[in-house]
């Protein structure tokens, strides 16, 4: 498995690199006096640098989908079925489906099962590094059925002749329920959070009168899960399933929802497929927490907070899952390796595992980077960072990094107004350098000690500045031929403040974004850190709305 090993040799390096600052050209937005514009190429380069670890490409490949028109043409036995579907038919033919679904609801069919697999080429897909794709496919299906038996199974004792006249094993009783018990179509349910003014509702808006209770083999629940699943099934359109959640019960989506969950990492939790095929390599902190290979880790991925840890060693849900897995694994001759554990009572649940700061753990969600960057307008980063909790933006969804930087779903309170453009505004011609010192550029950020030339003279920045013409003084001081600076001119006399009681601007005072001061009877508001910049000249100041 040399390819798998190579994937993870750079984990520590890439995780460290992803936190470093990246080159970005931020300019004032000529279309918005309050905003900024950044180049699309810079945004794409930053996203690529932060997700350079090969595992991000593995995840992206795992979540690739086929067009629904292709999927809905899949039927058992067809020579035109995609290759991964043909593999699934070979290792788990119709008679095996029938053997495990004698109690199943009629909405679950073998055809729909194959279509669910066909939607995701990575499920029962190929491997180019010598791993046994047929064995991994069979193990994936058997693992899924062990969880189906717990999530939607009959749970009827084999000896209960009245309710189980066929004497089926409990691991043969999967997929009995297509809707959560006690709920039916037309009822509103699981609408917690619907209608709130937050990013979840802006991205995944609930539809009036709809219920988002559990449906399908994985019992998909809540609007944010229906919306996210809908985006994957319908080319980024969240509204399809939010407006018609019953499709998750009444179509092949009832099984596709489970395959989607099986393939999706919830970083720092791995995708279940990558636990099974060992593409995932547990970090040192995970190993220290008892988390390694085996069926037990898939329990931790699904429901670790309720079913894992020593306090849950004898709890019904995990005990059932383990019994079903062991019964199925024995029946289908699944080889259990020596480093695998069926249980998770010895594991710390992922929700209780502190992986913050670990360099060998990757995350899959974007969040605004609130670090201070002295060389950028207002000290803002104009970047996003990877985090280990759910946010409005996924590192596995193309275009979501740009949405994060531009605050598309208004999830970052106080974030600067950012527009992304293919081309940045053209700059006016610059003057030739003086004694090798480059001409001042209004769009460039300068910090204390940096020098520029303007009007044939050389100036030095006294503090952070952008857009302040050196000829106006303020944050700039003129450097004479002997390298000595001219004395700083005295500040303007104090003038009366406007009637709202704001303080009068003072050249020696430091102001930060949002501070207000008056000059000549006019009230101004600072856009970012400033000292010595006359409000009359604009730059870091704008007229306040009073």
């Amino acid at each position: 498995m040399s390819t798998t090993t190579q994937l993870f040799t750079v984990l520590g390096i890439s995780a460290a690199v992803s936190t470093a600052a990246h080159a970005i050209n931020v300019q004032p937005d000529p279309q918005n006096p309050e905003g900024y514009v950044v180049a699309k190429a810079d945004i794409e380069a930053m996203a690529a640098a932060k997700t350079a670890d090969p595992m991000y490409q593995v995840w992206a490949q795992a979540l690739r989908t086929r067009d629904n028109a292709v999927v809905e043409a899949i039927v058992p036995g067809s020579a035109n079925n995609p290759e991964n579907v043909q593999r699934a038919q070979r290792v788990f033919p119709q008679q095996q489906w029938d053997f495990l679904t004698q109690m199943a609801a009629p909405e679950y069919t073998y055809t729909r099962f194959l279509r669910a697999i066909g939607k995701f080429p990575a499920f029962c897909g190929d491997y180019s590094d010598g791993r046994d794709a047929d064995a991994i496919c069979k193990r994936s299906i058997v693992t899924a059925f062990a969880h189906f038996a717990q999530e939607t199974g009959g749970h009827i004792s084999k000896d209960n002749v009245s309710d189980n006249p066929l004497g089926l094993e409990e691991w043969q009783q999967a997929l009995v329920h297509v809707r959560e018990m006690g709920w039916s179509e037309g009822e509103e349910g699981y609408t917690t959070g619907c209608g709130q003014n937050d990013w979840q509702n802006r991205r995944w808006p609930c539809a009036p009168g709809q219920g988002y209770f559990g449906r399908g083999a994985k019992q998909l629940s809540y609007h944010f899960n229906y919306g996210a699943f809908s985006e994957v099934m319908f080319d980024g359109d969240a509204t399809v399933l939010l407006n018609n959640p019953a499709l998750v019960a009444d179509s092949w989506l009832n099984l596709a929802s489970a395959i989607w969950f099986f393939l999706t990492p919830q970083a720092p939790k791995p995708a279940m497929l990558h636990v099974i095929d060992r593409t995932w390599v547990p970090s040192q902190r995970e190993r220290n927490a008892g988390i390694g290979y085996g069926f037990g880790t898939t329990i931790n991925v699904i429901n670790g907070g309720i079913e894992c840890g020593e306090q849950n060693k004898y709890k019904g849900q995990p005990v059932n899952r383990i019994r079903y897995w062991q019964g199925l694994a024995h029946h289908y001759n699944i080889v259990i390796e020596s480093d695998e554990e069926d249980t998770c009572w010895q594991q710390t649940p992922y929700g209780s595992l502190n992986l913050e700061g670990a360099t060998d753990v990757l995350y899959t969600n974007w969040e605004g980077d609130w670090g201070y960057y002295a060389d950028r307008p207002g000290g803002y980063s104009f970047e996003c960072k990877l985090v280990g909790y759910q946010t409005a933006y996924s590192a596995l969804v193309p275009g979501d990094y740009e949405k994060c930087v531009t605050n598309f779903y208004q999830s970052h309170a106080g974030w600067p107004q950012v527009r992304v453009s293919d081309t940045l505004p053209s700059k006016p011609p610059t003057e030739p350098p003086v004694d090798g010192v480059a001409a001042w550029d209004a769009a460039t950020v300068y910090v204390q000690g940096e020098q520029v030339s303007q009007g044939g003279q050389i100036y030095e920045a006294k503090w952070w500045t952008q857009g302040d013409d050196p000829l106006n003084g303020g944050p700039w001081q003129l450097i004479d031929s002997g390298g000595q600076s001219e004395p700083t001119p005295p500040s303007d006399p104090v003038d009366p403040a406007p009637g709202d009681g704001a303080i009068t601007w003072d050249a020696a005072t430091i102001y930060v974004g949002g501070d207000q001061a008056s000059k000549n009877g006019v009230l101004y508001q600072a856009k970012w850190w400033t000292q010595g910049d006359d409000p009359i000249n604009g730059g870091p100041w704008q007229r306040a709305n009073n």
Side-chain angles (χ1 to χ4, degrees):
M1 302 203 302
S2 58
T3 301
T4 305
T5 301
Q6 291 170 0
L7 285 175
F8 289 88
T9 56
V10 295
L11 266 173
I13 296 174
S14 64
V17 170
S18 68
T19 62
H22 296 82
I24 181 172
N25 185 4
V26 183
Q27 295 190 22
D29 189 350
Q31 300 177 16
N32 177 9
E34 307 300 319
Y36 303 91
V37 60
V38 296
K40 190 176 189 69
D42 286 352
I43 295 296
E44 292 175 346
M46 283 195 294
K50 294 170 190 282
T51 56
D53 191 283
M55 195 63 196
Y56 286 100
Q57 185 61 29
V58 171
W59 282 329
Q61 288 296 313
L63 291 172
R64 280 191 309 122
T65 59
R66 290 190 175 95
D67 187 88
N68 286 348
V70 175
V71 172
E72 288 168 1
I74 294 172
V75 291
S78 172
N80 296 322
N81 286 344
E83 186 174 342
N84 69 316
V85 175
Q86 294 190 39
R87 173 174 286 115
Q89 289 179 267
R90 186 167 61 250
V91 304
F92 194 77
Q94 174 87 52
Q95 59 266 34
Q96 294 302 327
W97 170 269
D98 294 341
F99 175 71
L100 293 182
T101 59
Q102 295 177 69
M103 278 191 185
E107 290 88 348
Y108 299 113
T109 68
Y110 189 59
T111 297
R112 288 177 172 177
F113 177 63
L114 296 181
R115 289 176 180 176
I117 292 173
K119 182 67 177 179
F120 298 96
F123 193 93
C124 290
D126 289 323
Y127 293 87
S128 60
D129 57 4
R131 281 179 282 181
D132 188 337
D134 280 12
I136 292 170
C137 176
K138 183 177 180 180
R139 188 185 184 104
S140 297
I141 293 172
V142 169
T143 299
F145 263 90
H147 291 304
F148 292 164
Q150 171 58 30
E151 302 282 344
T152 60
H155 306 291
I156 302 173
S157 169
K158 185 177 180 179
D159 300 327
N160 187 343
V161 178
S162 59
D163 295 326
N164 184 10
L166 297 177
L168 300 176
E169 300 284 355
E170 287 188 41
W171 48 262
Q172 286 179 271
Q173 300 174 26
L175 304 175
V176 171
H177 304 287
V178 71
R179 293 175 181 82
E180 188 172 347
M181 294 178 67
W183 295 94
S184 59
E185 298 304 337
E187 292 183 280
E188 291 189 37
Y190 282 65
T191 56
T192 301
C194 286
Q196 295 181 2
N197 183 26
D198 57 18
W199 65 262
Q200 287 192 346
N201 283 274
R202 284 186 282 272
R203 179 155 192 168
W204 303 305
C206 302
Q210 295 297 338
Y212 302 106
F213 50 81
R215 294 180 179 88
K218 181 60 187 69
Q219 292 289 280
L220 195 71
S221 306
Y222 296 104
H223 72 106
F224 45 84
N225 286 322
Y226 276 85
F229 179 50
S230 183
E231 289 173 342
V232 175
M233 293 296 100
F234 299 101
D235 298 322
D237 189 349
T239 64
V240 176
L241 295 181
L242 289 169
N243 293 339
N244 190 7
L247 285 174
V248 180
D250 297 330
S251 73
W252 56 271
L253 300 183
N254 58 19
L255 289 156
S257 57
I259 303 296
W260 169 64
F261 184 83
F262 191 87
L263 297 171
T264 303
Q266 307 163 66
K269 295 190 290 187
M272 287 196 288
L273 172 64
H274 297 143
V275 175
I276 290 170
D277 70 9
R278 294 180 180 243
T279 299
W280 166 72
V281 175
S283 68
Q284 188 57 54
R285 290 198 198 181
E286 286 167 309
R287 291 187 181 280
N288 292 345
I291 301 172
Y293 295 115
F295 181 78
T297 294
T298 69
I299 301 176
N300 204 339
V301 169
I302 291 176
N303 211 18
I306 295 175
E307 300 185 27
C308 296
E310 190 162 8
Q311 71 276 17
N312 295 311
K313 185 174 183 178
Y314 301 108
K315 197 171 185 177
Q317 295 104 308
V319 168
N320 283 343
R321 287 187 202 268
I322 295 159
R323 284 196 300 117
Y324 302 156
W325 159 251
Q326 291 175 341
L328 285 160
H330 176 75
H331 180 82
Y332 287 101
N333 298 314
I334 302 297
V335 176
I336 308 299
E337 302 293 343
S338 60
D339 62 347
E340 295 184 38
E341 294 285 352
D342 295 342
T343 61
C344 69
W345 64 264
Q346 74 282 6
Q347 298 184 9
T348 301
Y350 266 104
S352 303
L353 182 60
N354 179 18
L355 297 174
E356 187 68 29
T359 58
D360 53 355
V361 174
L362 298 177
Y363 297 129
T364 56
N365 290 294
W366 297 118
E367 179 67 286
D369 180 356
W370 290 99
Y372 180 76
Y373 290 71
D375 61 340
R376 299 179 185 178
Y380 293 113
S381 71
F382 296 91
E383 295 186 25
C384 287
K385 63 181 180 180
L386 290 158
V387 296
Y389 51 86
Q390 188 185 37
T391 70
Y393 316 98
S394 169
L396 307 182
V397 175
D400 262 23
Y401 185 78
E402 179 177 323
K403 289 181 177 179
C404 182
V405 170
T406 60
N407 200 16
F408 188 83
Y409 294 110
Q410 302 170 47
S411 53
H412 317 326
W415 193 253
Q417 298 177 43
V418 182
R419 180 171 62 88
V420 175
S421 176
D422 290 334
T423 57
L424 293 180
S426 58
K427 300 179 181 179
T430 58
E431 298 179 4
V434 176
D435 294 338
V437 177
W440 171 76
D441 174 30
T444 299
V445 170
Y446 299 95
V447 296
Q448 182 180 15
E450 291 190 308
Q451 294 186 348
V452 298
S453 60
Q454 175 80 326
Q457 297 177 306
I458 297 176
Y459 296 84
E460 183 173 284
K462 294 185 286 184
W463 49 75
W464 187 101
T465 175
Q466 181 186 37
D468 303 301
D469 193 325
L471 297 178
N472 296 328
W476 295 100
Q477 60 184 359
L478 179 64
I479 305 298
D480 66 14
S481 59
Q484 300 299 315
S485 61
E486 293 187 346
T488 303
S491 59
D492 292 342
V494 174
D495 66 303
D500 61 3
I503 62 171
T504 301
W505 175 77
D506 175 40
T509 298
I510 292 175
Y511 302 90
V512 297
D515 285 349
Q516 293 186 343
S518 65
K519 180 72 184 287
N520 296 339
V522 178
L523 184 63
Y524 296 88
Q525 181 168 300
K527 294 186 284 184
W528 52 72
W529 189 101
T530 175
Q531 182 184 37
D533 302 301
D534 194 322
I536 294 175
N537 296 327
W541 292 96
Q542 61 186 3
R543 283 177 177 258
N545 296 322
N546 59 352

